[in-house]
Amino acid sequence: MLGAPSAHGRRRVAATAVVAIVVAAALALTGCSSSGGTHRGRAPTTASVAGGRGDRATATPPLQWRDCSGGQCATLRVPLDYSRPDGTQIQLALLKVPARDESRRIGSLLVNPGGPGASGVDLARGIAGQLPSELRSRFDIVGWDPRGTGDSTSVNCGNRLDYLFAPDASPDNTAEQQAVEAASKQFADTCARGSGTLLPFISSDATAQDMDRIRAAVGDDKLTYLGYSYGTYLGTLYAHAFPGRVRALVLDGAVDPALSARELTIQQAQGFELALNDFFTDCETNRGCAFYSNGDPQRAYEALEARIDAHPLVSHHGSRSRVLGPTQYELGVTEALYGGRATWPLLATALAHARSGDPTDLLGLFDDTVHRDSSGRYSNEYPAFLAISCLDGPSLGSLDTVRQVEADARIAAPHFGVSNVTLGLPCEFWPVPPVHPTAAPVSAPGAPPIVVIGTTGDPATPVAWARGLAAELGSGRLLLHRGEGHTAFPAGDSCLDGAVVDYLVRLVPPADGTTCG
């Protein structure tokens, strides 16, 4: 999503400060396609995902939990390659927040924040205090860092990534285009050197199998799951591969795997355009908006955008200086848009300060979306986001196709379209071919009702994607939330929150098309 992990880390819990605002990135992040936008490739056959099949999964030994910050931690060993289940094993890091009422405990609620690349351990630790009390009483909340990410066996693509964002991701000439391509290839080559043996085995298909191992390891006969943004794709793959092992799945901020990389990339950029326009509409009628700009914030925004494109801003703090160029500017803005109306004041202030020559706030938003610390080091999240996305596919296929899609995206989404394509450019140089080069619908024949949540003003995963996924699953029940921001649950709304609780606790799904908010 505009080159950053999309997701729950930055969704609405982010807005209330559970994990930084998207995750992400964003950036999903949602997850993003190998060409920039949130994507998902063609579903694998049941045989290819189920690989080791249920007999091995149910034989998974119980986890050895130990006290740790925010809950209880454990490590689960799983096959690197599910076609060789007795071969090399890798480690998954897990965290559990135990149910408050053990006597009424139903089982475990597995949670994933999206990305790909975001930490499910961090999500479980943070979201436990935000969930409705009945869920906290009846379920252990269990999160894990998916393979390739966080404290699980993770990719190593370097932690000094400023070079990747230094070129203009909305290139205006050949020189800028070549700079983006060179940085993208450098990143792909660095990943190949640091994690060449791991890169072929971190697909979402493999993670769906990991989820079944986790289900067995926590002692549940069937899976209860809450996934955000890209995490909805993991839930979809699980239901496709293991429909008989689904108890209840809530897929919030859905990704539609039937859409091509081109469609997903451009539609996501259009979602951010709509969110930015909503911000302009609110600000132009609100004299208290820090970026009011005499009632024309859009004109002021575009003037600032052009100014930074021509002459990047420099932030000075002591002996250190940093540059806010076009790419950092766009990613900083989109980071604020993830939170919807709640973060519009933050965006307005950041824009006003930048107009006055101080880019510090926008640089901070950029740092949040790509997980860069004050010393210039990046966490594993952004590299894992790209590595998993590139492996999953589909890819646009060639640099010529990328440029064609850039031209279409520039028209469809003038502020964000080109960068949402270009930030996925490392995938065109990826050392491993995509698992699914083309997109196709995913179904889950025989699965019980699956709740798919779509937010009408979601910038990262447009509500049309939730409609599409709910229809394709076969047993999907669409639950709509009227509002802005990326993902919805918990919404602080008795209609939506009550529907989700009834479904997860009592297995009573909402009527298809129920609308709340």
Side-chain angles (χ1 to χ4, degrees), residues 6-11 13-14 22-23 113-114 123 127 228-229 487 489:
S6 100
H8 183 90
R10 288 169 170 61
R11 47 163 303 272
V13 169
V22 191
V23 219
L123 176 64
I127 200 175
Y228 294 95
S229 197
T487 76
F489 179 77

Side-chain angles (χ1 to χ4, degrees), residues 86-108:
D86 296 321
T88 301
Q89 306 289 296
I90 60 173
Q91 294 187 338
L92 301 181
L94 289 83
L95 182 138
K96 174 177 70 174
V97 182
R100 290 172 176 163
D101 188 347
E102 181 64 28
S103 66
R104 301 174 66 231
R105 177 182 173 275
I106 294 171
S108 297

